[in-house]
Amino acid sequence: MELDRVDENDWKYHGEGNKSLVVSHVQHCRVLRLLKYPAEDSENPPQVKLLFTLLIRTRTTLFWKTAEQAFRQIQNIVDFTSNVMSCLLGEKFVHSGEVVRLPLEFVRQLSIKIQHQRPAWRCDKVMDIYSGCALCLPNLTSPTLHQPTLTPPLCIEIKPKCGFLPSPKHVSKDIKTRVCRYCMHQHYKVANGKWKRRSLYCPLDLFSGNKQRMHFAIRHLIEEPQNNLKVFKGGQCIYNSKEGSDESPDTNSLLHHLRPYFLRGNNRVNGHLTTKAVLNDFIQVLGNALLSAAGGDGGQVTDRTGEGRSFCEASLFNRERIRHGSQGLPTNNILSRILQTQMLDSLDIEGLYPLYCRVEQHLQDFPKDRTGLQIDGPYDQNFLEKVQKCSMEDDDSVEYAAAKVHQYRIAMTAKDCSIMVTLVPSSEEEDDDEDLSSQKRLRDFRPQAFSSSVSVLDLDPKPLDSVPRQLRLDQKIVSCYLRTGGTLLNGSLPPLPSILAAEREERALLFQA
């Protein structure tokens, strides 16, 4: 695919986050990530727009300097992903991508074409149409291993969030050691109108390694996906939530899409595949994919039953329901790798903030040290070594403080990453094939077999100035939770109608450990 001969008609809107917008190619399995900036800056042209005008009028080199800054920003994402996060999470799970330069006219026409497809609540920012720089990545919702069949691949994108509770040593409010950040944040989001319904998903259940808890967590992700769950079929998004919408996600439509994938199962009532059976099977396949280690079932299980930090009091899961099965994650498992990377945040934001202030004060006094401390990169092997070899004891040095801040930034990236699970249904002929490249075959509980692959995305580095914002947000979240008294913990919200209908057939979700 030649990116110097691109046509905006070959690309379509794919999605967007807070800092970037993604378009996908209609034929090739490629996506482009383009940076965004606040919409008000398009009304009052930012420096880059002004410099673009200067380029047209005077051909100064000033614009190219700004374009190079955009290029460097995206290259930093690539370097951080490939040299830092890939080493921590595993190369087989991470796609770093490459920086590309695009014709400016193509970018402008593309922006016009996709504008009406963007969600209204995302339009407070506009796409960068001035630098011509983008990040090119594989389209993980359209896997290349797929051979056209009647049942295209399913891709499930999960944003798991933080999977542990902080140590009581560094927090000022005891509630933070008992209720996880995600569950408290739900109350804050509903109180501020970001979401109409509170999600009952708890990350600590998903990261537990116990199948019952994991299935419980996945079920609640399906009931109230928010920004934490999307389901794609053949590259098209078939299930997600719209922020601020009064409409509940259409789980009936999701189950309709999923039914053909599980027709060869045996969970039937009088020959009819029940809605509950479809939901159960989907949850089990997804749970097995998340638990499987890359290339096999190996890996030592890390037992977390003795850790008081692995249960959240806000979770509706009853600990007494755990009957048997492992209580931990295989060491080479992607969830385990993400969790260990998250736990680089050993001080919590409250314990880290004084170290951040030490770094900031030093940079004010010695601004040239910013490069030596690698505050803005380069994200190379030296940066990773500083993080991994950071002393356990504070020696009052700025080097120690900078290393702990770097650890926190990496942990925040892991807390905000997304997992893409690709499920490809196998034909009957494929079921007899014992070798499916490096893909893991999920056939341990049903005749229907799936090959699966797992990738991690959204691995951008967090800027240094995000630290004080995180502290303020943390204070607001905890204050809101304490003020509301953690309401809705017991009464909670009713399940969605389609889930409720399924439970009339059989009251409890079947958990198979």
Side-chain angles (χ1 to χ4, degrees):
M1 183 173 60
E2 298 182 24
L3 291 175
D4 58 341
R5 299 180 181 178
V6 285
D7 184 338
E8 69 273 8
N9 295 313
D10 292 334
W11 298 83
K12 62 181 181 178
Y13 178 82
H14 188 81
E16 60 188 292
N18 184 46
K19 296 182 178 179
S20 61
L21 181 148
V22 181
V23 294
S24 59
H25 198 277
V26 295
Q27 292 181 324
H28 303 288
C29 293
R30 286 289 181 269
V31 297
L32 294 174
R33 272 187 60 189
L34 299 109
L35 299 176
K36 303 194 305 184
Y37 59 85
E40 57 265 23
D41 288 348
S42 64
E43 301 289 336
N44 304 295
Q47 182 186 23
V48 67
K49 189 171 182 180
L50 176 60
L51 292 175
F52 177 75
T53 303
L54 291 174
L55 171 68
I56 299 299
R57 293 178 180 175
T58 66
R59 290 303 207 184
T60 66
T61 59
L62 212 53
F63 170 76
W64 296 114
K65 180 179 179 181
T66 304
E68 284 303 314
Q69 289 173 347
F71 185 92
R72 184 67 249 171
Q73 180 179 349
I74 300 176
Q75 186 62 53
N76 265 348
I77 296 175
V78 175
D79 293 343
F80 185 78
T81 302
S82 60
N83 297 329
V84 179
M85 300 308 296
S86 179
C87 294
L88 295 172
L89 300 179
E91 292 182 5
K92 51 188 165 290
F93 297 122
V94 176
H95 303 271
S96 301
E98 62 176 332
V99 191
V100 294
R101 298 184 188 272
L102 304 166
L104 293 180
E105 182 59 24
F106 160 74
V107 178
R108 288 194 289 269
Q109 293 300 322
L110 179 64
S111 176
I112 295 171
K113 175 188 174 184
I114 66 173
Q115 182 59 33
H116 72 282
Q117 298 174 289
R118 299 179 61 199
W121 59 277
R122 286 291 192 190
C123 291
D124 61 326
K125 293 185 178 180
V126 296
M127 192 177 92
D128 169 26
I129 61 174
Y130 301 108
S131 72
C133 298
L135 176 60
C136 185
L137 292 157
N139 185 353
L140 298 176
T141 67
S142 298
T144 54
L145 72 138
H146 167 59
Q147 299 297 323
T149 63
L150 294 177
T151 48
L154 291 171
C155 295
I156 301 93
E157 181 179 345
I158 296 174
K159 192 174 282 290
K161 307 307 286 187
C162 182
F164 71 99
L165 296 171
S167 166
K169 182 178 179 180
H170 303 290
V171 300
S172 59
K173 303 294 184 182
D174 176 67
I175 191 66
K176 291 174 66 173
T177 67
R178 296 185 287 113
V179 178
C180 78
R181 164 68 173 261
Y182 181 87
C183 289
M184 284 196 286
H185 203 174
Q186 283 296 303
H187 290 265
Y188 182 74
K189 288 180 176 180
V190 172
N192 286 274
K194 184 172 184 178
W195 295 105
K196 302 297 182 183
R197 294 168 52 94
R198 186 172 66 88
S199 170
L200 302 182
Y201 162 72
C202 179
L204 271 64
D205 290 329
L206 186 69
F207 281 100
S208 69
N210 178 273
K211 285 190 175 183
Q212 292 172 258
R213 291 180 66 186
M214 292 181 68
H215 293 175
F216 189 81
I218 295 170
R219 175 193 173 98
H220 284 305
L221 279 175
I222 294 171
E223 288 186 354
E224 197 63 45
Q226 296 189 1
N227 286 337
N228 300 96
L229 177 78
K230 294 180 182 178
V231 181
F232 299 84
K233 184 174 82 170
Q236 299 295 321
C237 184
I238 60 172
Y239 190 67
N240 67 339
S241 279
K242 297 180 180 179
E243 186 170 325
S245 173
D246 291 325
E247 298 179 6
S248 298
D250 190 355
T251 50
N252 278 323
S253 175
L254 172 64
L255 294 171
H256 174 77
H257 281 290
L258 294 178
R259 186 176 295 273
Y261 292 85
F262 303 100
L263 288 176
R264 291 162 56 193
N266 52 17
N267 286 347
R268 298 168 182 263
V269 175
N270 297 325
H272 173 68
L273 183 65
T274 66
T275 299
K276 180 178 183 301
V278 174
L279 181 64
N280 267 357
D281 291 349
F282 176 62
I283 290 174
Q284 290 186 52
V285 167
L286 181 54
N288 285 349
L290 288 171
L291 275 176
S292 63
D297 291 320
Q300 177 183 355
V301 173
T302 303
D303 189 1
R304 302 178 66 210
T305 53
E307 297 183 26
R309 299 163 69 186
S310 61
F311 272 99
C312 170
E313 290 185 4
S315 171
L316 297 185
F317 186 88
N318 187 342
R319 300 188 199 186
E320 295 178 358
R321 296 173 62 181
I322 300 179
R323 296 188 298 272
H324 54 81
S326 66
Q327 182 69 20
L329 294 165
T331 54
N332 289 326
N333 168 267
I334 186 55
L335 287 177
S336 177
R337 287 175 176 264
I338 291 174
L339 181 61
Q340 292 304 313
T341 305
Q342 291 179 354
M343 294 180 77
L344 285 173
D345 173 19
S346 59
L347 303 178
D348 187 71
I349 184 63
E350 294 185 64
L352 180 89
Y353 187 70
L355 298 177
Y356 161 81
C357 292
R358 184 190 303 176
V359 174
E360 276 293 292
Q361 183 60 54
H362 183 87
L363 293 178
Q364 289 179 21
D365 298 337
F366 307 97
K368 292 184 178 180
D369 284 359
R370 191 177 188 93
T371 300
L373 293 173
Q374 293 185 264
I375 300 300
D376 308 304
Y379 299 113
D380 52 15
Q381 184 63 34
N382 184 50
F383 178 89
L384 182 61
E385 288 180 0
K386 287 181 180 179
V387 170
Q388 293 178 322
K389 295 180 180 180
C390 179
S391 170
M392 297 293 291
E393 298 295 330
D394 186 356
D395 58 4
D396 295 325
S397 68
V398 68
E399 288 78 14
Y400 170 84
K404 297 305 290 186
V405 170
H406 291 330
Q407 285 185 343
Y408 174 80
R409 293 168 61 199
I410 292 172
M412 289 303 296
T413 294
K415 292 177 185 181
D416 204 34
C417 74
S418 296
I419 303 172
M420 184 69 79
V421 180
T422 301
L423 302 173
V424 181
S426 304
S427 65
E428 292 185 11
E429 292 78 11
E430 288 175 324
D431 285 348
D432 297 327
D433 187 1
E434 294 299 326
D435 182 21
L436 189 65
S437 301
S438 62
Q439 303 302 321
K440 167 68 182 164
R441 191 175 295 281
L442 305 173
R443 56 187 305 175
D444 57 339
F445 70 97
R446 298 188 53 73
Q448 173 68 56
F450 288 84
S451 62
S452 75
S453 62
V454 178
S455 301
V456 187
L457 55 158
D458 298 335
L459 296 175
D460 299 12
K462 302 298 183 182
L464 179 68
D465 61 12
S466 67
V467 173
R469 292 200 302 270
Q470 285 295 328
L471 178 64
R472 291 193 296 270
L473 179 60
D474 183 78
Q475 292 168 341
K476 291 177 181 178
I477 290 171
V478 174
S479 175
C480 176
Y481 191 81
L482 292 175
R483 187 173 62 252
T484 60
T487 54
L488 295 179
L489 282 181
N490 296 318
S492 72
L493 294 171
L496 297 179
S498 56
I499 304 293
L500 192 59
E503 289 196 337
R504 292 195 187 104
E505 300 171 5
E506 300 176 58
R507 291 299 300 173
L509 180 67
L510 294 178
F511 291 102
Q512 300 181 11

